[in-house]
Amino acid sequence: MSSVLGVSVGAGTVRLARPQHGGPHGVVPPYSFELQSIAMPEQQAEESAAEAIAGTLAGSPEVAATTITFRTDQQAKAVRAAMARRQLTNYQLIPEAVAAVHFAHATSDMREVSTLAVYDLGSSGLTVSVINARTSDVHQCERISDISGDYLDSLIREQQIASGRIAHPADPAGLAALDGLCRAAKEQLSHSNAVALPSEQGLVLLTQENFEALMMLAIESSARMARDVIIRAQHPVQAVLVIGGGARIPLIARVLERTIGVPVIVPPEPETALARGAALLARPAQVQQAPAAAPIPLGDNDDITPAWLTAPTRGRRPLRALTNRSHSRRELNVAVLTVSSLVVLAAIGLGLGYGPEVLESGSSSDGSQAVPASTPPRPSSADPTTTPVTTTEAEHAAVVAPPANQRPTEKTTEAPPPQGPNTFTVVPGLPPVVLPTLPPVVLPGFPPPGQ
């Protein structure tokens, strides 16, 4: 059975999540994951993530897709470069906010939530995002490093040293070990009221009351920062999702709900929420193939046709289509040139003043005279008092009828005049245009032509 892999790249930890499938003897609860955390220096986060992914894929060939979260575009570029160096290609990158929203939909009731605020308190800083819960569009996202998990651990360390029970470590290695011990004490306080952890420097003793008093100012400051981000986003939120390692502190949820005034969602194991959300979004890469081109229909007279002529080619049209298009384009060019030449010649003839002559010669070239229209009879100059002369129909017919011996003129066509050197036929069927011979131009200081 195929599986998928979700990966979140934090400042000091890379987390991997794989959904678990039900076995033959039982059913695994929904959204149950196999989790793995790898601690590494912040400067090698992307390389460590790519190395962990390569090792997981080599040991689990059933993994069909991988999704990796990123916080910034710079981190996304670094992840791509690290994956390319290991020749890993079947993966996708998604923003952390998108993975957080998808995980919230999968594990919480989000039917009444249209805009969600994500409070992500990690080891290196705090990120507050305002996201559209339905489209995963990010309205506002801000990050600060003044408040972080490491900062809260340093507060516990300094408080333990100031109490006199813990000696100050002498070297950086001892200081890092004491910080890890204070972090473990902080995490244990999420489900207990007091914790006591021995160390080489002494006993780390911490109660819930002392811890909350120590953390209150920093957590209240982070809650006000989250509220300001929501106000700047200009989108009222209906819930706040708290993730990251700092989400295990119960005081954070209480302060956020009191400051912002909306319900606060804290999922179990909040530090792995991004990796699990990425695993839920993992899909195998789909490679789409281009559809094959339809064969080219040939004519009935094409008895022998090469096979490569009808085969579809990439980026190249068949030879027959190119030939037909070139013929039609050549004919179109010839027609355009012919019409352009006729227009130019006609314009030259009209511009030189030979347009009327051409029109007159064209109208008289058929050998027939135009018959003027009958004019109305002029009024008689006789005295109006005299009686008008009337004519009978026979007399009128005799006056109007033409003489008997006169035959009607027949339309005769004359042969066109011979073509001279300056004679051009503009339109077939119309008389040619004769261009005049201009006299030579004699410039001052130059002999006349012919001398």
Side-chain angles (χ1 to χ4, degrees):
M1 181 180 295
S2 62
S3 180
V4 295
L5 179 65
V7 183
S8 65
V9 184
T13 306
V14 175
R15 292 183 171 86
L16 293 83
R18 294 177 59 184
Q20 292 181 345
H21 302 283
H25 303 290
V27 178
V28 177
Y31 306 114
S32 179
F33 296 85
E34 177 185 350
L35 303 174
Q36 181 182 1
S37 298
I38 303 173
M40 76 293 176
E42 183 177 356
Q43 294 78 9
Q44 302 176 359
E46 293 78 15
E47 294 292 337
S48 300
E51 190 67 29
I53 293 172
T56 302
L57 295 179
S60 303
E62 69 275 8
V63 176
T66 302
T67 299
I68 310 171
T69 65
F70 67 91
R71 181 179 300 117
T72 62
D73 293 338
Q74 182 179 2
Q75 186 185 47
K77 293 179 182 179
V79 171
R80 289 192 189 96
M83 297 288 284
R85 282 190 285 270
R86 291 162 179 80
Q87 299 181 354
L88 301 176
T89 57
N90 188 17
Y91 70 95
Q92 60 178 342
L93 290 169
I94 61 172
E96 290 181 347
V98 175
V101 170
H102 194 78
F103 177 76
H105 276 286
T107 57
S108 306
D109 186 4
M110 299 284 290
R111 289 175 295 180
E112 302 298 329
V113 179
S114 60
T115 305
L116 179 70
V118 179
Y119 178 101
D120 184 2
L121 181 59
S123 61
S124 62
L126 170 64
T127 303
V128 178
S129 306
V130 180
I131 311 169
N132 189 315
R134 294 184 173 88
T135 63
S136 298
D137 293 335
V138 180
H139 300 307
Q140 191 80 10
C141 181
E142 298 183 18
R143 180 177 175 83
I144 59 173
S145 57
D146 297 338
I147 301 174
S148 63
D150 293 342
Y151 173 71
L152 300 181
D153 296 341
S154 67
L155 292 179
I156 299 174
R157 181 194 66 204
E158 296 300 326
Q159 189 266 345
Q160 294 294 315
I161 294 176
S163 65
R165 293 188 302 270
I166 298 293
H168 197 287
D171 53 3
L175 190 63
L178 181 58
D179 287 343
L181 195 63
C182 293
R183 185 179 305 110
K186 178 187 66 177
E187 293 174 355
Q188 290 184 18
L189 283 178
S190 60
H191 51 78
S192 62
N193 293 327
V195 60
L197 299 177
S199 67
E200 296 180 359
Q201 290 80 16
L203 182 65
V204 175
L205 181 61
L206 191 64
T207 64
Q208 187 71 253
E209 183 179 358
N210 293 337
F211 174 77
E212 291 185 356
L214 187 63
M215 300 287 122
M216 182 62 70
L217 292 178
I219 292 176
E220 287 181 345
S221 177
S222 68
R224 289 192 296 268
M225 180 259 190
R227 182 187 60 190
D228 294 342
V229 172
I230 295 172
I231 294 174
R232 283 191 288 270
Q234 298 181 356
H235 288 79
V237 301
Q238 289 77 40
V240 178
L241 175 66
V242 183
I243 60 175
R248 289 183 175 272
I249 304 174
L251 181 62
I252 292 180
R254 297 199 304 267
V255 173
L256 284 174
E257 187 171 2
R258 182 175 68 245
T259 305
I260 302 176
V262 296
V264 177
I265 303 172
V266 182
E269 299 183 359
E271 66 276 2
T272 63
L274 296 179
R276 289 186 285 173
L280 294 175
L281 287 171
R283 298 290 185 275
Q286 300 292 335
V287 180
Q288 298 182 357
Q289 298 180 357
I296 303 173
L298 301 179
D300 299 336
N301 298 329
D302 300 330
D303 298 331
I304 301 176
T305 304
W308 58 266
L309 183 60
T310 58
T313 57
R314 177 176 300 175
R316 184 180 62 186
R317 293 184 176 87
L319 180 61
R320 184 175 302 279
L322 292 176
T323 305
N324 294 338
R325 176 169 293 184
S326 61
H327 285 328
S328 61
R329 186 172 297 173
R330 188 181 299 113
E331 294 173 358
L332 179 60
N333 292 337
V334 172
V336 170
L337 291 176
T338 303
V339 173
S340 301
S341 302
L342 296 178
V343 171
V344 171
L345 292 176
I348 293 174
L350 294 176
L352 293 176
Y354 288 88
E357 297 178 3
V358 172
L359 295 177
E360 291 178 2
S361 61
S363 61
S364 60
S365 61
D366 56 356
S368 61
Q369 296 292 335
V371 179
S374 60
T375 59
R378 296 181 180 180
S380 176
S381 59
D383 188 0
T385 58
T386 59
T387 304
V389 180
T390 59
T391 59
T392 61
E393 294 181 1
E395 292 175 347
H396 180 72
V399 174
V400 175
N405 58 354
Q406 183 179 1
R407 293 182 300 175
T409 59
E410 297 179 358
K411 185 176 180 180
T412 60
T413 58
E414 297 179 0
Q419 298 285 341
N422 297 335
T423 304
F424 299 91
T425 300
V426 179
V427 179
L430 296 181
V433 177
V434 180
L435 298 181
T437 302
L438 300 178
V441 179
V442 179
L443 299 177
F446 292 89
Q451 294 183 1

